[in-house]
Amino acid sequence: MKRRAAAAMILPACLLALGSLTACSSIDADSESVDPRAVHSPAETLRPAETNGSGATSAAESGAGAIDPGWDVAAQEADDVFLSLHEAESDLEFRAVDSDGTILWSAQRPRVCSGFLVSDSADGPVAVLMDQQSGSSGSLKTTASGFDLHTGENLWGPVEVPGPLLGSGLVFAGPPEDFIGAGGPRTALDPASGAELAVEDGDSPRVLALLDGHLVLADGEELIGEDVEGRQLWTRPLADLGLTAAEARETPWEAVGDSHAIIGSGGGQHTLIDLRSGKTVASDIDGAGFDSRSRTLVTSDSKLHGFDLDGTKRWDAPLDGDAELSAVGAGLVITESDPGGADDDGMQTRSADDGQLLDAAEEAPESGGFGAPHHIADSGARLVGDPGSPLLIPPVDRSAKR
């Protein structure tokens, strides 16, 4: 299974999960759904001198600068393809953009139905888009469809789902019984086929998350981990994580690499666990990330820590003052703090392999004056600026700089 890099950073990039929330109420008479269509055109590039003005040039006109794909929601990424949406007057336009700034495909959905999620499958990353369709007797039904993230090719769907995406993987919740409060029964779909993997019904286990081929359930006060084939991988008491059954149901889960997840909300209240074994790697942490080049898990509390995938501690590094973990990827660990002066941008760059400080000018590509990146893809492409409307900086061609 290919690694989904989309939400490798949890804080503050937990905002990425917002892109998977859905608000489907009724079909907009002035808009319609259009499935992905190939584009293969460059997005606009904002040159550094023009970032505060309206000037924009084609990304094909090479040169340093942040690419603006026009996204109005936090982007998700896998295999160096980014997905987010642009809010038009009558509809939402989803745009899949590669790491060099080329718009690969676009799709339209009504404004009332904005849910989307980049998810892994055995055959590669899948873009899941929400929609609404007319049902029997004029009723409306919420649906989900899966598309190849690279090409936009339809892989499955539309499949009827009970309600919106939760943000903990491909899990959908029915409406609350009284219009407000906790959501109704949940359904988890296989991202490869759209088939139902788990459905809450009566006394069945509660569905918590489906992350990178790992299904997490709660049965009473016990936490259960399964694979997508239904094989039980582990169990452990919820009390081990300091959660009750009710709290576990409402606690966010976010993938870190393809084998781990961070659980919790609020600063310093997160736990990083191994989805293959259910074991805790680190607790009471502020955030976590994964670097695929060095195969390193990185966590932050009052310090930075690097772990092997089996949970073995590899290194520790200081985290000064108000610095926070900003992004992990492409062999780098980047932290950001309030600037200390005119020549201090507050950003530090370390090696993900051993935690040692690096010369930012040599090892970390510039972020165009937008501050530290909040996501780094395997290629080195970065998301910068406001996470809610991100800009893309392509990877640096180091051979061209030498």
Side-chain angles (χ1 to χ4, degrees), residues 1-6 8 120 211-214 255-261 273-276 290-292 295 297 309:
M1 177 175 291
K2 297 181 180 180
R3 185 181 72 86
R4 172 178 167 266
D120 246 346
L211 302 171
D212 295 296
H214 297 90
V256 180
D258 57 6
S259 59
H260 290 72
I273 73 165
D274 189 329
L275 291 170
R276 303 163 301 181
F290 176 68
D291 175 54
S292 64
R295 307 296 290 171
L297 295 161
L309 289 179

Side-chain angles (χ1 to χ4, degrees), residues 90-147:
S90 60
D91 58 20
L92 300 171
E93 180 187 357
F94 290 86
R95 296 174 179 173
V97 180
D98 70 14
S99 60
D100 291 323
T102 298
I103 302 174
L104 302 177
W105 55 265
S106 66
Q108 279 72 45
R109 289 293 187 270
R111 290 179 60 86
V112 295
C113 202
S114 60
F116 73 101
L117 183 74
V118 172
S119 185
D120 246 346
S121 78
D123 297 322
V126 178
V128 178
L129 304 183
M130 303 289 291
D131 201 356
Q132 280 195 332
Q133 295 185 347
S134 298
S136 58
S137 303
S139 61
L140 295 174
K141 58 182 181 181
T142 303
T143 65
S145 299
F147 303 91

Side-chain angles (χ1 to χ4, degrees), residues 211-272:
L211 302 171
D212 295 296
H214 297 90
L215 182 65
V216 184
L217 308 167
D219 193 0
E221 297 298 325
E222 187 173 60
L223 203 61
I224 302 169
E226 296 182 353
D227 63 19
V228 293
E229 304 297 329
R231 292 184 290 264
Q232 183 172 298
L233 302 176
W234 50 269
T235 63
R236 64 180 294 183
L238 278 164
D240 286 355
L241 298 176
L243 297 172
T244 65
E247 290 170 339
R249 187 167 171 77
E250 303 305 321
T251 299
W253 292 65
E254 193 73 33
V256 180
D258 57 6
S259 59
H260 290 72
I262 193 169
I263 314 162
S265 58
Q269 300 178 14
H270 295 79
T271 300
L272 179 67

Side-chain angles (χ1 to χ4, degrees), residues 36-374:
R37 297 176 294 188
V39 177
H40 295 290
S41 296
E44 291 182 335
T45 295
L46 303 176
R47 295 190 181 277
E50 298 172 334
T51 54
N52 293 324
S54 59
T57 60
S58 168
E61 300 176 21
S62 61
I67 292 171
D68 183 7
W71 292 322
D72 296 314
V73 173
Q76 302 177 33
E77 178 264 334
D79 281 2
D80 279 305
V81 176
F82 299 79
L83 179 67
S84 187
L85 60 85
H86 169 70
E87 294 188 50
E89 290 186 6
S90 60
D91 58 20
L92 300 171
E93 180 187 357
F94 290 86
R95 296 174 179 173
V97 180
D98 70 14
S99 60
D100 291 323
T102 298
I103 302 174
L104 302 177
W105 55 265
S106 66
Q108 279 72 45
R109 289 293 187 270
R111 290 179 60 86
V112 295
C113 202
S114 60
F116 73 101
L117 183 74
V118 172
S119 185
D120 246 346
S121 78
D123 297 322
V126 178
V128 178
L129 304 183
M130 303 289 291
D131 201 356
Q132 280 195 332
Q133 295 185 347
S134 298
S136 58
S137 303
S139 61
L140 295 174
K141 58 182 181 181
T142 303
T143 65
S145 299
F147 303 91
D148 184 293
L149 180 62
H150 290 270
T151 67
E153 175 189 0
N154 180 261
L155 301 175
W156 52 265
V159 173
E160 186 171 358
V161 293
L165 278 160
L166 291 179
S168 293
L170 206 54
V171 178
F172 304 84
E177 292 183 3
D178 300 318
F179 297 101
I180 59 174
R186 299 178 178 181
T187 297
L189 298 185
D190 184 343
S193 65
E196 293 179 344
L197 292 179
V199 179
E200 293 183 352
D201 184 17
D203 295 328
S204 67
R206 306 293 91 178
V207 178
L208 302 186
L210 174 63
L211 302 171
D212 295 296
H214 297 90
L215 182 65
V216 184
L217 308 167
D219 193 0
E221 297 298 325
E222 187 173 60
L223 203 61
I224 302 169
E226 296 182 353
D227 63 19
V228 293
E229 304 297 329
R231 292 184 290 264
Q232 183 172 298
L233 302 176
W234 50 269
T235 63
R236 64 180 294 183
L238 278 164
D240 286 355
L241 298 176
L243 297 172
T244 65
E247 290 170 339
R249 187 167 171 77
E250 303 305 321
T251 299
W253 292 65
E254 193 73 33
V256 180
D258 57 6
S259 59
H260 290 72
I262 193 169
I263 314 162
S265 58
Q269 300 178 14
H270 295 79
T271 300
L272 179 67
I273 73 165
D274 189 329
L275 291 170
R276 303 163 301 181
S277 66
K279 294 180 179 179
T280 294
V281 176
S283 57
D284 299 322
I285 59 176
D286 300 310
F290 176 68
D291 175 54
S292 64
R293 290 191 185 180
S294 60
R295 307 296 290 171
T296 305
L297 295 161
V298 179
T299 66
S300 67
D301 42 46
S302 60
K303 296 182 178 181
L304 295 172
H305 310 279
F307 298 87
D308 292 328
L309 289 179
D310 64 2
T312 301
K313 175 78 72 67
R314 188 189 302 170
W315 54 263
D316 297 303
L319 190 60
D320 300 330
D322 61 352
E324 295 182 349
L325 184 60
S326 181
V328 177
L332 307 175
V333 178
I334 297 180
T335 60
E336 185 177 33
S337 61
D338 290 334
D343 297 326
D344 179 14
D345 61 6
M347 189 168 66
Q348 279 192 341
T349 303
R350 294 181 179 273
S351 164
D353 186 53
D354 57 16
Q356 294 298 306
L357 272 174
L358 301 174
D359 184 339
E362 292 293 329
E363 300 294 339
E366 296 180 3
S367 294
F370 294 97
H374 45 81

